Amino acid sequence: MTLRFGVVGTGAIGREHIDRITNKLSGGKIVAVTDVNQESAKQTVEIYQLDAVVYPDDKALIADENVDVVLVTSWGPAHEATVVAAVEAGKYVFCEKPLATTAEGCMRIVEAEMKQGKKLVQVGFMRRYDSGYVQLKQVIDNNEIGAPLMIRAAHRNPIVGENYTTDMAVTDTLIHEIDALHWLVNDDYKSVQVVFPRKTKYSHDKLQDPQLFTIETNSGIVMSVEVFVNCKYGYDIQCEVIGEEGIVKLPEFSSVVMRKDEKLSTGILNDWKYRFMDAYNVEIQDFIDSITKKGEPEGPTSWDGYIAAVTSDACVKAQQTGEKEAITLQERPAFYNEKELQTV
Ligand code: NAD
Ligand code: NAI
Ligand code: ISE
Protein backbone atom coordinates (compact mmCIF):
# COMPACT_ATOMS: atom_id res chain seq x y z
CA MET A 1 0.00 0.00 0.00
CA THR A 2 1.27 3.47 -0.88
CA LEU A 3 0.15 6.45 1.23
CA ARG A 4 -0.76 9.39 -0.96
CA PHE A 5 0.40 12.75 0.43
CA GLY A 6 -0.97 16.22 -0.26
CA VAL A 7 1.48 18.95 0.84
CA VAL A 8 0.36 22.35 2.16
CA GLY A 9 3.37 24.71 2.10
CA THR A 10 6.23 24.17 -0.33
CA GLY A 11 8.87 26.30 1.43
CA ALA A 12 12.12 25.12 2.99
CA ILE A 13 10.98 22.14 5.03
CA GLY A 14 8.03 21.31 2.73
CA ARG A 15 10.51 20.69 -0.07
CA GLU A 16 12.86 18.75 2.21
CA HIS A 17 10.01 16.41 3.20
CA ILE A 18 8.83 16.10 -0.42
CA ASP A 19 12.36 15.12 -1.43
CA ARG A 20 12.67 12.49 1.31
CA ILE A 21 9.22 10.95 0.66
CA THR A 22 9.90 10.85 -3.10
CA ASN A 23 13.56 9.84 -3.21
CA LYS A 24 14.65 8.36 0.12
CA LEU A 25 11.79 6.71 2.00
CA SER A 26 9.39 3.94 1.02
CA GLY A 27 5.60 3.63 1.07
CA GLY A 28 4.70 7.26 0.33
CA LYS A 29 4.02 9.34 -2.78
CA ILE A 30 3.28 13.04 -3.31
CA VAL A 31 0.03 13.38 -5.31
CA ALA A 32 -0.95 17.00 -4.57
CA VAL A 33 0.64 20.29 -3.46
CA THR A 34 -0.49 23.81 -2.63
CA ASP A 35 1.09 27.01 -1.37
CA VAL A 36 -0.27 30.56 -0.90
CA ASN A 37 2.59 31.33 -3.25
CA GLN A 38 1.29 29.32 -6.23
CA GLU A 39 4.53 29.84 -8.14
CA SER A 40 6.38 28.03 -5.36
CA ALA A 41 3.96 25.08 -5.59
CA LYS A 42 4.36 24.86 -9.37
CA GLN A 43 8.15 25.13 -9.16
CA THR A 44 8.22 22.35 -6.57
CA VAL A 45 6.35 19.99 -8.92
CA GLU A 46 8.90 20.78 -11.65
CA ILE A 47 12.02 20.57 -9.47
CA TYR A 48 11.10 17.19 -7.97
CA GLN A 49 9.37 15.96 -11.17
CA LEU A 50 6.23 15.07 -9.25
CA ASP A 51 3.15 13.53 -10.75
CA ALA A 52 1.04 15.82 -8.56
CA VAL A 53 -1.91 18.20 -8.89
CA VAL A 54 -1.29 21.84 -7.89
CA TYR A 55 -4.32 23.08 -5.93
CA PRO A 56 -5.26 26.75 -5.34
CA ASP A 57 -5.64 26.20 -1.57
CA ASP A 58 -5.66 23.69 1.29
CA LYS A 59 -9.45 23.14 1.14
CA ALA A 60 -9.33 21.96 -2.47
CA LEU A 61 -6.34 19.72 -1.68
CA ILE A 62 -8.06 18.16 1.33
CA ALA A 63 -11.18 17.49 -0.78
CA ASP A 64 -9.17 15.41 -3.28
CA GLU A 65 -10.17 11.79 -2.66
CA ASN A 66 -6.73 10.66 -3.84
CA VAL A 67 -5.14 12.38 -0.83
CA ASP A 68 -4.78 10.05 2.20
CA VAL A 69 -2.41 12.27 4.23
CA VAL A 70 -2.11 16.03 4.52
CA LEU A 71 1.49 17.14 5.17
CA VAL A 72 1.32 20.60 6.78
CA THR A 73 4.52 22.61 6.23
CA SER A 74 3.07 26.08 5.91
CA TRP A 75 3.84 28.91 8.38
CA GLY A 76 2.91 28.18 11.98
CA PRO A 77 -0.10 30.58 12.12
CA ALA A 78 -1.71 28.73 9.15
CA HIS A 79 -1.43 25.24 10.65
CA GLU A 80 -4.59 25.12 12.78
CA ALA A 81 -7.12 25.82 10.02
CA THR A 82 -5.56 23.23 7.70
CA VAL A 83 -5.23 20.55 10.39
CA VAL A 84 -8.83 20.97 11.63
CA ALA A 85 -10.21 20.80 8.07
CA ALA A 86 -8.12 17.71 7.27
CA VAL A 87 -9.13 15.91 10.47
CA GLU A 88 -12.81 16.74 9.90
CA ALA A 89 -12.43 15.19 6.44
CA GLY A 90 -11.03 12.03 8.12
CA LYS A 91 -7.54 12.44 6.61
CA TYR A 92 -4.27 11.60 8.34
CA VAL A 93 -2.10 14.63 9.11
CA PHE A 94 1.62 15.13 9.60
CA CYS A 95 1.98 18.71 10.89
CA GLU A 96 5.26 20.52 11.39
CA LYS A 97 5.68 22.29 14.73
CA PRO A 98 3.87 24.20 16.11
CA LEU A 99 0.64 22.21 15.84
CA ALA A 100 -1.14 25.54 16.38
CA THR A 101 0.16 28.82 17.74
CA THR A 102 -2.12 28.83 20.82
CA ALA A 103 -3.18 26.24 23.40
CA GLU A 104 -6.84 26.90 22.48
CA GLY A 105 -6.03 26.17 18.83
CA CYS A 106 -4.37 22.87 19.79
CA MET A 107 -7.39 21.99 21.92
CA ARG A 108 -9.70 22.53 18.92
CA ILE A 109 -7.55 20.02 17.00
CA VAL A 110 -7.63 17.57 19.94
CA GLU A 111 -11.45 17.82 20.05
CA ALA A 112 -11.81 17.36 16.28
CA GLU A 113 -9.55 14.29 16.42
CA MET A 114 -11.34 12.70 19.39
CA LYS A 115 -14.65 13.20 17.50
CA GLN A 116 -13.22 11.06 14.67
CA GLY A 117 -12.59 8.29 17.25
CA LYS A 118 -9.04 7.47 16.11
CA LYS A 119 -5.62 9.06 16.07
CA LEU A 120 -4.99 10.86 12.80
CA VAL A 121 -2.38 13.50 13.65
CA GLN A 122 1.38 13.43 14.24
CA VAL A 123 3.38 16.57 15.12
CA GLY A 124 6.89 17.12 13.68
CA PHE A 125 8.83 16.87 16.94
CA MET A 126 11.66 14.97 15.28
CA ARG A 127 14.08 15.03 18.20
CA ARG A 128 12.27 12.01 19.63
CA TYR A 129 13.64 10.14 16.61
CA ASP A 130 17.22 11.47 16.82
CA SER A 131 19.56 8.64 17.78
CA GLY A 132 21.37 10.80 20.38
CA TYR A 133 18.15 11.72 22.19
CA VAL A 134 16.93 8.11 21.96
CA GLN A 135 20.18 6.96 23.65
CA LEU A 136 19.78 9.61 26.38
CA LYS A 137 16.23 8.44 27.02
CA GLN A 138 17.26 4.79 27.22
CA VAL A 139 19.93 5.62 29.83
CA ILE A 140 17.41 7.59 31.90
CA ASP A 141 14.60 5.01 31.53
CA ASN A 142 17.01 2.20 32.50
CA ASN A 143 17.82 4.19 35.67
CA GLU A 144 21.54 4.16 34.78
CA ILE A 145 22.14 7.68 36.15
CA GLY A 146 19.54 7.44 38.91
CA ALA A 147 16.88 10.11 39.29
CA PRO A 148 17.46 13.11 36.98
CA LEU A 149 18.07 16.30 39.00
CA MET A 150 19.06 18.94 36.46
CA ILE A 151 19.34 19.46 32.71
CA ARG A 152 21.64 21.90 30.96
CA ALA A 153 20.71 22.48 27.33
CA ALA A 154 21.50 24.91 24.52
CA HIS A 155 19.81 25.56 21.16
CA ARG A 156 22.04 27.68 18.95
CA ASN A 157 21.44 28.81 15.38
CA PRO A 158 24.20 30.66 13.50
CA ILE A 159 21.96 33.51 12.35
CA VAL A 160 18.28 34.44 11.90
CA GLY A 161 16.50 36.95 9.68
CA GLU A 162 15.04 40.37 10.56
CA ASN A 163 11.55 38.84 10.78
CA TYR A 164 12.58 36.63 13.74
CA THR A 165 11.39 38.34 16.96
CA THR A 166 11.92 37.77 20.71
CA ASP A 167 8.82 35.55 21.13
CA MET A 168 9.99 33.30 18.26
CA ALA A 169 12.92 32.20 20.41
CA VAL A 170 10.14 30.27 22.18
CA THR A 171 7.52 29.52 19.51
CA ASP A 172 9.94 28.61 16.73
CA THR A 173 13.11 27.43 18.49
CA LEU A 174 12.76 26.51 22.21
CA ILE A 175 9.60 24.59 21.25
CA HIS A 176 11.85 21.62 20.32
CA GLU A 177 13.37 21.51 23.84
CA ILE A 178 9.90 22.05 25.33
CA ASP A 179 8.77 18.83 23.65
CA ALA A 180 11.94 16.79 24.03
CA LEU A 181 12.96 17.53 27.64
CA HIS A 182 9.79 16.50 29.48
CA TRP A 183 9.61 13.42 27.23
CA LEU A 184 13.22 12.57 28.18
CA VAL A 185 12.56 12.60 31.92
CA ASN A 186 8.90 11.44 31.90
CA ASP A 187 7.69 14.48 33.82
CA ASP A 188 5.43 17.51 33.36
CA TYR A 189 6.44 21.15 33.61
CA LYS A 190 5.50 23.34 36.56
CA SER A 191 6.99 26.80 35.98
CA VAL A 192 9.34 28.90 33.86
CA GLN A 193 11.39 32.06 34.32
CA VAL A 194 13.43 33.91 31.69
CA VAL A 195 16.58 36.00 31.98
CA PHE A 196 17.94 38.17 29.18
CA PRO A 197 21.75 38.34 29.33
CA ARG A 198 23.76 41.07 27.58
CA LYS A 199 22.50 41.27 23.99
CA THR A 200 24.76 40.24 21.12
CA LYS A 201 25.65 43.03 18.67
CA TYR A 202 24.57 40.66 15.88
CA SER A 203 20.88 40.87 16.89
CA HIS A 204 18.37 43.57 15.91
CA ASP A 205 15.78 45.86 17.59
CA LYS A 206 12.99 43.30 17.83
CA LEU A 207 15.07 40.37 19.06
CA GLN A 208 16.55 39.85 22.52
CA ASP A 209 19.36 37.36 21.91
CA PRO A 210 20.54 35.23 23.72
CA GLN A 211 17.88 34.16 26.26
CA LEU A 212 18.10 31.85 29.25
CA PHE A 213 15.08 29.81 30.40
CA THR A 214 14.84 28.12 33.79
CA ILE A 215 12.11 25.50 33.66
CA GLU A 216 11.03 23.42 36.65
CA THR A 217 9.14 20.13 36.52
CA ASN A 218 6.57 18.71 38.95
CA SER A 219 9.20 16.42 40.53
CA GLY A 220 11.59 19.37 41.00
CA ILE A 221 14.02 18.81 38.09
CA VAL A 222 15.48 22.19 37.10
CA MET A 223 16.31 22.72 33.43
CA SER A 224 18.48 25.57 32.26
CA VAL A 225 18.02 26.12 28.52
CA GLU A 226 19.91 28.68 26.47
CA VAL A 227 18.49 29.90 23.15
CA PHE A 228 21.07 31.81 21.11
CA VAL A 229 20.06 32.30 17.49
CA ASN A 230 22.86 34.56 16.23
CA CYS A 231 25.71 32.59 17.74
CA LYS A 232 27.65 32.91 14.45
CA TYR A 233 29.79 29.78 14.74
CA GLY A 234 27.24 27.12 13.67
CA TYR A 235 24.09 25.12 14.42
CA ASP A 236 24.67 23.55 17.78
CA ILE A 237 22.33 21.49 19.98
CA GLN A 238 23.52 20.57 23.47
CA CYS A 239 21.85 18.58 26.23
CA GLU A 240 23.32 17.23 29.46
CA VAL A 241 21.26 15.41 32.10
CA ILE A 242 22.65 15.37 35.63
CA GLY A 243 21.38 12.47 37.75
CA GLU A 244 21.92 11.15 41.28
CA GLU A 245 24.36 8.46 40.08
CA GLY A 246 25.94 10.05 37.00
CA ILE A 247 25.72 12.40 34.06
CA VAL A 248 24.75 11.71 30.47
CA LYS A 249 25.30 14.02 27.51
CA LEU A 250 23.98 14.22 23.94
CA PRO A 251 26.72 13.03 21.54
CA GLU A 252 28.27 15.61 19.24
CA PHE A 253 27.35 15.29 15.58
CA SER A 254 29.83 12.86 14.04
CA SER A 255 32.53 14.52 11.96
CA VAL A 256 36.12 13.62 10.99
CA VAL A 257 38.91 14.81 13.28
CA MET A 258 41.57 16.74 11.40
CA ARG A 259 45.19 17.40 12.41
CA LYS A 260 46.54 20.28 10.38
CA ASP A 261 48.55 23.49 10.81
CA GLU A 262 49.29 22.70 14.46
CA LYS A 263 45.56 22.31 15.17
CA LEU A 264 43.27 19.42 16.07
CA SER A 265 39.76 20.19 14.71
CA THR A 266 36.35 18.75 13.90
CA GLY A 267 33.54 20.38 11.90
CA ILE A 268 30.36 21.93 13.30
CA LEU A 269 27.19 21.96 11.17
CA ASN A 270 25.42 25.19 10.24
CA ASP A 271 21.81 24.15 9.54
CA TRP A 272 18.97 22.15 11.11
CA LYS A 273 18.48 20.39 7.75
CA TYR A 274 21.75 18.50 8.19
CA ARG A 275 21.81 18.12 11.99
CA PHE A 276 18.46 16.34 12.06
CA MET A 277 18.45 14.78 8.58
CA ASP A 278 18.45 11.20 9.89
CA ALA A 279 15.81 12.05 12.51
CA TYR A 280 13.46 13.52 9.85
CA ASN A 281 13.92 10.38 7.74
CA VAL A 282 13.19 8.01 10.64
CA GLU A 283 10.29 10.18 11.81
CA ILE A 284 8.44 10.24 8.49
CA GLN A 285 9.20 6.59 7.68
CA ASP A 286 7.76 5.66 11.08
CA PHE A 287 4.67 7.79 10.35
CA ILE A 288 4.14 5.99 7.01
CA ASP A 289 4.80 2.53 8.47
CA SER A 290 2.56 2.99 11.52
CA ILE A 291 -0.38 4.09 9.40
CA THR A 292 0.19 1.39 6.80
CA LYS A 293 0.61 -1.44 9.31
CA LYS A 294 -1.45 -0.32 12.31
CA GLY A 295 -3.93 2.18 10.90
CA GLU A 296 -2.74 5.12 13.01
CA PRO A 297 0.40 7.21 13.59
CA GLU A 298 2.39 6.38 16.73
CA GLY A 299 4.61 9.47 17.04
CA PRO A 300 4.05 12.73 18.94
CA THR A 301 0.29 13.36 19.17
CA SER A 302 -2.03 16.36 19.12
CA TRP A 303 -1.87 16.18 22.92
CA ASP A 304 1.92 16.61 22.73
CA GLY A 305 1.25 19.61 20.49
CA TYR A 306 -1.12 20.96 23.17
CA ILE A 307 1.45 20.45 26.00
CA ALA A 308 4.04 22.31 23.91
CA ALA A 309 1.62 25.17 23.22
CA VAL A 310 0.64 25.63 26.90
CA THR A 311 4.32 25.63 27.88
CA SER A 312 5.23 27.95 25.04
CA ASP A 313 2.49 30.42 26.11
CA ALA A 314 3.91 30.45 29.67
CA CYS A 315 7.45 30.99 28.34
CA VAL A 316 6.32 33.97 26.23
CA LYS A 317 4.50 35.40 29.26
CA ALA A 318 7.67 34.93 31.33
CA GLN A 319 9.65 36.84 28.67
CA GLN A 320 7.25 39.74 29.15
CA THR A 321 6.91 39.74 32.96
CA GLY A 322 10.38 38.62 34.05
CA GLU A 323 8.54 36.62 36.74
CA LYS A 324 8.27 32.90 37.39
CA GLU A 325 5.15 31.81 35.45
CA ALA A 326 3.08 28.69 36.15
CA ILE A 327 2.59 26.02 33.49
CA THR A 328 -0.84 24.45 33.98
CA LEU A 329 -2.11 21.64 31.76
CA GLN A 330 -5.64 20.31 31.49
CA GLU A 331 -6.08 16.65 32.41
CA ARG A 332 -4.89 14.28 29.67
CA PRO A 333 -7.88 12.60 27.97
CA ALA A 334 -7.80 8.77 28.11
CA PHE A 335 -7.85 8.86 24.28
CA TYR A 336 -4.17 9.93 24.37
CA ASN A 337 -3.10 7.42 27.03
CA GLU A 338 -3.47 4.23 25.09
CA LYS A 339 0.10 3.57 23.97
CA GLU A 340 3.58 4.78 24.75
CA LEU A 341 5.37 6.48 21.86
CA GLN A 342 7.45 3.96 19.97
CA THR A 343 10.86 5.29 18.96
CA VAL A 344 13.46 3.94 16.57
P1 NAD B 1 9.07 28.46 4.74
O1 NAD B 1 8.71 29.90 4.95
O2 NAD B 1 10.29 28.14 3.98
O3 NAD B 1 7.89 27.72 4.04
C1 NAD B 1 6.56 27.93 4.39
C2 NAD B 1 5.73 27.84 3.14
O4 NAD B 1 4.36 27.81 3.48
C3 NAD B 1 5.93 29.00 2.21
O5 NAD B 1 6.19 28.53 0.94
C4 NAD B 1 4.60 29.73 2.28
O6 NAD B 1 4.28 30.35 1.05
C5 NAD B 1 3.66 28.59 2.59
N1 NAD B 1 2.43 28.94 3.23
C6 NAD B 1 2.26 29.75 4.26
N2 NAD B 1 0.99 29.80 4.60
C7 NAD B 1 0.35 28.97 3.79
C8 NAD B 1 -0.99 28.57 3.66
N3 NAD B 1 -1.94 29.05 4.44
N4 NAD B 1 -1.32 27.67 2.72
C9 NAD B 1 -0.38 27.20 1.94
N5 NAD B 1 0.92 27.53 2.00
C10 NAD B 1 1.27 28.41 2.92
O7 NAD B 1 9.12 27.84 6.18
P2 NAD B 1 9.81 26.52 6.67
O8 NAD B 1 11.17 26.81 7.21
O9 NAD B 1 9.66 25.49 5.62
O10 NAD B 1 8.91 26.16 7.90
C11 NAD B 1 7.63 25.63 7.70
C12 NAD B 1 7.19 24.95 8.97
O11 NAD B 1 8.08 23.95 9.29
C13 NAD B 1 7.09 25.84 10.15
O12 NAD B 1 6.00 25.48 10.92
C14 NAD B 1 8.36 25.55 10.89
O13 NAD B 1 8.22 25.75 12.27
C15 NAD B 1 8.57 24.12 10.59
N6 NAD B 1 9.95 23.74 10.61
C16 NAD B 1 10.30 22.72 11.39
C17 NAD B 1 11.62 22.34 11.46
C18 NAD B 1 12.01 21.22 12.32
O14 NAD B 1 13.17 21.11 12.67
N7 NAD B 1 11.10 20.35 12.68
C19 NAD B 1 12.57 22.99 10.73
C20 NAD B 1 12.16 24.03 9.90
C21 NAD B 1 10.84 24.39 9.86
P1 NAI C 1 9.04 28.50 4.73
O1 NAI C 1 8.68 29.94 4.92
O2 NAI C 1 10.26 28.16 3.97
O3 NAI C 1 7.86 27.77 4.04
C1 NAI C 1 6.52 27.98 4.39
C2 NAI C 1 5.70 27.86 3.15
O4 NAI C 1 4.34 27.81 3.49
C3 NAI C 1 5.87 29.03 2.23
O5 NAI C 1 6.15 28.57 0.95
C4 NAI C 1 4.53 29.74 2.30
O6 NAI C 1 4.20 30.37 1.09
C5 NAI C 1 3.61 28.59 2.61
N1 NAI C 1 2.40 28.89 3.28
C6 NAI C 1 2.23 29.66 4.33
N2 NAI C 1 0.96 29.69 4.68
C7 NAI C 1 0.31 28.89 3.85
C8 NAI C 1 -1.03 28.49 3.71
N3 NAI C 1 -1.96 28.93 4.51
N4 NAI C 1 -1.33 27.62 2.74
C9 NAI C 1 -0.40 27.18 1.94
N5 NAI C 1 0.89 27.51 2.02
C10 NAI C 1 1.24 28.37 2.95
O7 NAI C 1 9.07 27.88 6.17
P2 NAI C 1 9.77 26.57 6.67
O8 NAI C 1 11.11 26.88 7.23
O9 NAI C 1 9.66 25.55 5.63
O10 NAI C 1 8.86 26.21 7.92
C11 NAI C 1 7.61 25.67 7.70
C12 NAI C 1 7.16 24.98 8.97
O11 NAI C 1 8.06 23.99 9.30
C13 NAI C 1 7.06 25.88 10.15
O12 NAI C 1 5.96 25.52 10.91
C14 NAI C 1 8.33 25.61 10.89
O13 NAI C 1 8.18 25.83 12.28
C15 NAI C 1 8.55 24.17 10.60
N6 NAI C 1 9.92 23.80 10.60
C16 NAI C 1 10.28 22.72 11.34
C17 NAI C 1 11.57 22.35 11.42
C18 NAI C 1 11.94 21.20 12.24
O14 NAI C 1 13.12 21.08 12.59
N7 NAI C 1 11.02 20.32 12.55
C19 NAI C 1 12.62 23.06 10.72
C20 NAI C 1 12.13 24.14 9.93
C21 NAI C 1 10.81 24.48 9.89
C1 ISE D 1 13.33 26.11 12.81
O1 ISE D 1 11.99 26.37 12.46
C2 ISE D 1 13.46 24.76 13.41
O2 ISE D 1 12.53 24.10 13.73
C3 ISE D 1 14.84 24.39 13.76
O3 ISE D 1 14.93 23.08 14.24
C4 ISE D 1 15.30 25.38 14.83
O4 ISE D 1 16.65 25.11 15.18
C5 ISE D 1 15.20 26.81 14.32
O5 ISE D 1 15.55 27.70 15.38
C6 ISE D 1 13.79 27.11 13.84
O6 ISE D 1 13.75 28.41 13.28
Side-chain angles (χ1 to χ4, degrees):
M1 177 191 168
T2 299
L3 273 190
R4 298 164 301 177
F5 282 78
V7 182
V8 180
T10 51
I13 203 164
R15 290 181 186 202
E16 287 288 317
H17 287 338
I18 286 172
D19 182 35
R20 61 174 47 88
I21 290 166
T22 308
N23 298 315
K24 295 177 185 149
L25 309 182
S26 60
K29 181 177 190 290
I30 310 296
V31 298
V33 297
T34 187
D35 196 299
V36 282
N37 175 352
Q38 285 277 287
E39 254 332 285
S40 162
K42 287 179 198 153
Q43 272 174 14
T44 305
V45 168
E46 278 169 30
I47 293 167
Y48 297 99
Q49 300 182 339
L50 306 174
D51 180 14
V53 184
V54 176
Y55 281 106
D57 58 31
D58 55 352
K59 287 187 189 61
L61 178 140
I62 291 165
D64 182 343
E65 59 184 23
N66 287 319
V67 170
D68 306 310
V69 176
V70 181
L71 174 59
V72 184
T73 47
S74 57
W75 300 319
H79 291 182
E80 180 189 342
T82 305
V83 176
V84 169
V87 168
E88 284 177 353
K91 308 267 164 144
Y92 292 105
V93 176
F94 184 96
C95 180
E96 266 306 335
K97 37 65 62 169
L99 177 59
T101 49
T102 62
E104 295 75 30
C106 290
M107 202 43 107
R108 283 189 281 275
I109 292 169
V110 161
E111 280 158 9
E113 187 175 38
M114 290 202 297
K115 216 167 174 184
Q116 293 291 329
K118 75 187 251 198
K119 289 209 190 85
L120 294 169
V121 180
Q122 178 162 332
V123 185
F125 288 131
M126 75 296 177
R127 292 206 188 170
R128 298 189 188 203
Y129 294 90
D130 174 77
S131 69
Y133 277 98
V134 170
Q135 288 174 60
L136 281 190
K137 181 148 178 71
Q138 277 165 356
V139 166
I140 294 165
D141 286 352
N142 292 342
N143 204 25
E144 290 177 55
I145 57 160
L149 309 173
M150 292 179 279
I151 292 186
R152 263 201 295 263
H155 188 153
R156 304 192 186 114
N157 290 198
I159 190 167
V160 290
E162 292 281 315
N163 58 351
Y164 186 108
T165 48
T166 295
D167 58 322
M168 288 171 74
V170 173
T171 57
D172 206 48
T173 299
L174 179 74
I175 192 106
H176 285 295
E177 275 75 17
I178 288 176
D179 177 67
L181 299 185
H182 83 93
W183 164 80
L184 262 187
V185 297
N186 307 301
D187 205 348
D188 282 325
Y189 299 127
K190 187 165 87 179
S191 68
V192 58
Q193 190 158 22
V194 188
V195 170
F196 295 144
R198 177 176 170 179
K199 184 168 159 177
T200 167
K201 68 177 180 189
Y202 295 110
S203 191
H204 57 84
D205 281 359
K206 297 201 172 90
L207 173 62
Q208 191 68 43
D209 187 40
Q211 303 184 24
L212 195 57
F213 298 82
T214 304
I215 307 176
E216 199 180 337
T217 70
N218 283 340
S219 75
I221 302 169
V222 175
M223 304 171 171
S224 166
V225 190
E226 168 202 318
V227 174
F228 187 11
V229 291
N230 288 288
C231 80
K232 303 298 281 181
Y233 71 84
Y235 185 82
D236 194 11
I237 304 297
Q238 299 287 329
C239 183
E240 182 178 48
V241 184
I242 296 109
E244 280 173 330
E245 313 284 347
I247 292 175
V248 64
K249 195 167 181 203
L250 196 64
E252 294 292 337
F253 190 81
S254 159
S255 165
V256 290
V257 179
M258 195 189 309
R259 286 170 160 81
K260 194 179 170 195
D261 297 336
E262 300 164 12
K263 285 197 179 78
L264 183 64
S265 63
T266 63
I268 292 182
L269 296 171
N270 69 356
D271 199 327
W272 48 264
K273 267 178 218 156
Y274 308 114
R275 169 63 182 82
F276 289 109
M277 175 131 29
D278 291 343
Y280 295 125
N281 287 339
V282 178
E283 166 193 59
I284 298 203
Q285 188 65 65
D286 178 67
F287 174 79
I288 293 171
D289 292 346
S290 309
I291 291 174
T292 312
K293 293 182 191 141
K294 299 174 187 162
E296 61 179 35
E298 294 191 318
T301 62
S302 300
W303 191 255
D304 293 308
Y306 163 77
I307 294 175
V310 170
T311 310
S312 155
D313 286 352
C315 292
V316 171
K317 192 169 174 204
Q319 284 178 325
Q320 292 156 358
T321 63
E323 302 294 323
K324 193 188 252 197
E325 296 296 340
I327 300 168
T328 314
L329 297 172
Q330 291 194 27
E331 198 177 327
R332 179 189 289 263
F335 182 84
Y336 292 101
N337 268 345
E338 288 154 24
K339 277 179 222 138
E340 281 298 304
L341 168 67
Q342 308 288 311
T343 44
V344 201

